[in-house]
Amino acid sequence: VQLQASGGGLVQAGGSLRLSCTASGSRFGIDDMGWYRQAPGKQRELVATSTRAGRTNYADSVKGRFTISRDNAKNTVYLQMNSLKPEDTAVYYCNAVVPLRMEVRGNFWGQGTQVTVSS
């Protein structure tokens, strides 16, 4: 399974960006999809996740500003980021939990996309 992320970039504080991530190579679709981020000198942290059924979970720091959505037919997850703050600056990683065979799931990561928010 491969994940291809896109949409990062440089934006001013208060601006918006939309990240996309498409998974390929899964025979049984994708269970959970989500976004994590890692700022310099910090641990990777959860940003938002979505189950196959569309149940979502957000980090407190992004609630009300970020929206995760997915298109199961395209095995694609999106992250709409509004009202961006300098502290949102990080490398954003796409994650997918994929059923591989009966009762076995794999955890896969994309290559990361840089988001930089200037003050």
Side-chain angles (χ1 to χ4, degrees), residues 4 18-23 30 33 35 69-78 94:
Q4 182 65 47
R18 189 189 193 213
L19 306 182
S20 300
C21 175
T22 298
I30 311 294
M33 296 190 81
W35 294 93
S69 60
R70 58 187 288 178
D71 184 334
N72 289 335
K74 297 179 179 180
N75 285 341
T76 298
V77 64
Y78 306 97
C94 176

Side-chain angles (χ1 to χ4, degrees), residues 26-62:
S26 172
R27 295 180 59 192
F28 306 111
I30 311 294
D31 287 343
D32 298 342
M33 296 190 81
W35 294 93
Y36 292 71
R37 67 187 181 187
Q38 187 167 19
K42 295 187 177 181
Q43 290 187 332
R44 190 174 298 187
E45 62 177 4
L46 178 147
V47 176
T49 60
S50 174
T51 67
R52 190 190 294 244
R55 186 167 62 249
T56 58
N57 180 48
Y58 293 93
D60 288 342
S61 60
V62 307

Side-chain angles (χ1 to χ4, degrees), residues 6-19 81 84-92 113-119:
S6 62
L10 172 64
V11 65
Q12 289 189 330
S16 298
L17 283 174
R18 189 189 193 213
L19 306 182
M81 304 185 293
L84 282 161
K85 304 175 181 180
E87 50 264 44
D88 294 317
T89 295
V91 177
Y92 284 68
T113 184
Q114 177 70 46
V115 172
T116 302
V117 184
S118 63
S119 58

